Amino acid sequence: MKKLLILGASGSIGTQTLDVIITYKLYDLVAITVGNRFDIVDEIIAKFPTVKYVTIKEKNVADKYQEKYPNLQFYSGNEGLLKIIEDSKADVVVNALTGFAGLLPSIKSLELNKILCLANKESLVVGGEFIKKLLKEGKGKLYPIDSEHVAIAKCLYNKNINDVDKILITASGGPFFDLDKNEFKNIKVEDALKHPNWSMGKKITIDSSTMMNKAFEIVEAYYLFDVPPNKIFPLVDRKSHVHSLVKFNNGEYRLQVGPSDMRIPIYYALTFGKCDNNDKFDDVEINTFDNYEFKEMNYEKFPLINYGKFIIEKKGNMGAIINAANEECVYEFLNFNINYVDIKNIIDKIVDVYPYIKNPTLDEIIKTDHEVRNLVHELI
Ligand SMILES: NC(=O)c1ccc[n+]([C@@H]2O[C@H](COP(=O)([O-])OP(=O)(O)OC[C@H]3O[C@@H](n4cnc5c(N)ncnc54)[C@H](OP(=O)(O)O)[C@@H]3O)[C@@H](O)[C@H]2O)c1
């Protein structure tokens, strides 16, 4: 059996990945990483005796676990996220970290020729050019875990990318799609955390409400499928039944429909896109999916979505600027330090003032991330 490492095993995607590998007996889980929710480590070690390597964010916590489990190897911090990729000798890495923290582990996994199952879309937003270069050089392999991108990959099955007229990435529209824009200033944290159809980590849930998540998914599609940005569009499906669509040059559409269950795209990535199997997910009656109703994206209400194509057009450190500003704003909003509408205002301001670098080194991307976060705090 192939060996698996899960980065971010305590999160929403991480725990669902654990569920998939235990249900379908897919891998030997050899290594995991967690952040602050380290309570889950005992449970995972008990359930998966093959785990031999663990990274925990805080050093003092990792040290305590090392004493408790002397036969396992514990690491900590950002270095621990990289060291475990090398030492565990995993064949496959699931990157289910949130935010910029996922970038270097994605790069390291590919450099070491691993198969990378990528939920951490921020890796492509901030470092898409670096990842593209590694893949072009034949380093590693990449499979997406995002439901929309797995849907697109399924629609492209046996098709040529040159035959694609449009990729339509579906969006639920989030909790505020029907809310008057004048009411946005009154949005509370608990309102923004109510995603209509998916249960996810807090950061992506807020990004889904502002449409920054959809902006990032446009960038993700650009890098994953090598299609020009003028062929990628968002489309609203309020019920999240259609996970995305592809329109081909001959007028044919393909769309992928199914329950809002992340275990399906996780399974797809973990089996490297092989759909010819009998493993079954929940049975859903066909009439659950009737009455498709697509709506246009409202760009005026959700202007952050425009940053998707902007990041692709500018490249350089623009993805890092926008991602860092967004991450900090989302965390400050979740901590009740700024209002919902400030998220957009602060990001716009940072994009205006922070120096753009056309051909940054990886160190400059890291520096950008660091400086933009500080700048957000100065502005607040
Ligand atoms: N959830 C979904 O349905 C979904 C769907 C599509 C794509 N995605 C993408 O998948 C990624 C993960 O999302 P999620 O919803 O699973 O997030 P989540 O529930 O917040 O989990 C994130 C994981 O990353 C860990 N982590 C975060 N920052 C870290 C750091 N600095 N150092 C070490 N570990 C860190 C967390 O540790 P602790 O929690 O222990 O602190 C947790 O294990 C995101 O990029 C998201 O956009 C998610």
Side-chain angles (χ1 to χ4, degrees):
M1 257 217 260
K2 280 196 161 43
K3 294 181 187 155
L4 182 71
L5 155 64
I6 304 176
L7 303 166
S10 48
S12 163
I13 294 292
T15 49
Q16 291 181 86
T17 304
L18 292 169
D19 186 22
V20 169
I21 62 169
I22 213 158
T23 307
Y24 303 107
K25 300 180 183 59
L26 291 179
Y27 282 91
D28 274 342
L29 181 69
V30 293
I32 54 162
T33 81
V34 300
N36 300 319
R37 287 179 275 182
F38 49 82
D39 289 349
I40 199 175
V41 168
D42 293 307
E43 189 188 320
I44 298 177
I45 291 173
K47 244 189 200 164
F48 297 89
T50 44
V51 170
K52 295 285 175 268
Y53 303 87
V54 180
T55 296
I56 300 179
K57 194 172 175 187
E58 297 301 333
K59 183 167 180 341
N60 58 336
V61 182
D63 289 347
K64 279 188 191 139
Y65 272 85
Q66 185 65 77
E67 270 178 38
K68 190 169 174 191
Y69 296 99
N71 296 330
L72 273 63
Q73 180 64 52
F74 284 82
Y75 311 91
S76 61
N78 288 337
E79 323 80 67
L81 291 176
L82 301 178
K83 194 96 177 64
I84 199 168
I85 299 171
E86 197 154 9
D87 291 0
S88 67
K89 303 212 167 29
D91 307 291
V92 178
V93 178
V94 168
N95 186 345
L97 297 166
T98 341
F100 188 83
L103 174 66
L104 295 183
S106 286
I107 290 179
K108 181 83 172 177
S109 300
L110 294 175
E111 280 173 348
L112 291 173
N113 263 319
K114 311 281 181 196
I115 297 172
L116 175 63
C117 299
L118 187 66
N120 179 263
K121 62 192 84 181
E122 294 91 340
S123 289
L124 289 169
V125 171
V126 298
E129 291 298 306
F130 295 90
I131 288 174
K132 186 173 156 183
K133 183 165 175 286
L134 283 166
L135 290 168
K136 267 203 169 151
E137 288 167 0
K139 297 271 174 63
K141 273 206 174 320
L142 178 61
Y143 291 93
I145 287 187
D146 230 347
S147 59
E148 292 80 357
H149 301 79
V150 168
I152 294 162
K154 287 179 177 175
C155 292
L156 291 172
Y157 182 71
N158 264 353
K159 285 279 192 179
N160 189 320
I161 199 73
N162 298 323
D163 298 336
V164 170
D165 177 44
K166 274 183 205 168
I167 284 182
L168 296 156
I169 306 181
T170 48
S172 72
F176 310 128
F177 190 73
D178 298 314
L179 187 72
D180 190 304
K181 202 176 173 197
N182 294 322
E183 296 295 322
F184 275 31
K185 59 182 180 306
N186 301 320
I187 290 171
K188 302 268 179 295
V189 171
E190 62 267 28
D191 305 326
L193 284 176
K194 277 185 208 135
H195 193 282
N197 309 321
W198 293 94
S199 162
M200 310 181 282
K202 285 184 180 176
K203 195 255 177 186
I204 183 177
T205 305
I206 302 297
D207 286 350
S208 299
S209 78
T210 62
M211 295 303 146
M212 188 58 109
N213 182 50
K214 217 42 61 182
F216 285 177
E217 287 179 1
I218 289 172
V219 182
E220 198 183 356
Y222 168 76
Y223 283 112
L224 288 172
F225 304 112
D226 206 12
V227 275
N230 62 2
K231 289 190 172 189
I232 310 173
F233 300 93
L235 184 67
V236 176
D237 167 19
R238 295 290 283 145
K239 295 179 187 163
S240 300
H241 286 161
V242 179
H243 299 303
S244 278
L245 309 84
V246 177
K247 183 179 182 218
F248 295 92
N249 291 331
N250 64 0
E252 176 196 3
Y253 280 86
R254 283 186 183 179
L255 51 90
Q256 193 262 338
V257 182
S260 303
D261 181 348
M262 280 310 292
R263 292 175 310 147
I264 297 170
I266 292 170
Y267 181 96
Y268 177 88
L270 289 175
T271 56
F272 317 140
K274 286 200 174 53
C275 307
D276 53 347
N277 60 71
N278 295 315
D279 289 338
K280 227 174 159 179
F281 293 91
D282 297 341
D283 236 342
V284 181
E285 290 301 323
I286 183 67
N287 52 12
T288 312
F289 301 122
D290 60 5
N291 300 328
Y292 294 142
E293 192 192 354
F294 298 115
K295 294 184 173 173
E296 289 302 318
M297 176 55 64
N298 187 333
Y299 290 86
E300 199 258 325
K301 211 186 248 187
F302 300 102
L304 286 181
I305 196 162
N306 292 312
Y307 277 131
K309 292 197 178 174
F310 185 66
I311 290 169
I312 299 172
E313 182 201 317
K314 301 295 276 187
K315 298 197 174 63
N317 64 342
M318 192 50 77
I321 296 171
I322 292 171
N323 178 68
N326 181 59
E327 262 187 55
E328 283 309 306
C329 287
V330 168
Y331 290 126
E332 291 302 331
F333 170 66
L334 285 169
N335 288 328
F336 309 101
N337 292 331
I338 60 172
N339 294 321
Y340 189 76
V341 288
D342 292 333
I343 298 175
K344 175 190 176 296
N345 295 339
I346 295 173
I347 296 170
D348 288 348
K349 177 85 188 155
I350 300 269
V351 170
D352 276 351
V353 299
Y354 190 82
Y356 166 66
I357 309 171
K358 196 167 166 35
N359 290 305
T361 61
L362 193 51
D363 281 343
E364 284 171 325
I365 293 283
I366 296 167
K367 188 168 171 234
T368 298
D369 178 74
H370 186 72
E371 289 183 348
V372 166
R373 285 170 199 269
N374 289 339
L375 197 52
V376 169
H377 288 280
E378 277 171 33
L379 278 177
I380 290 174

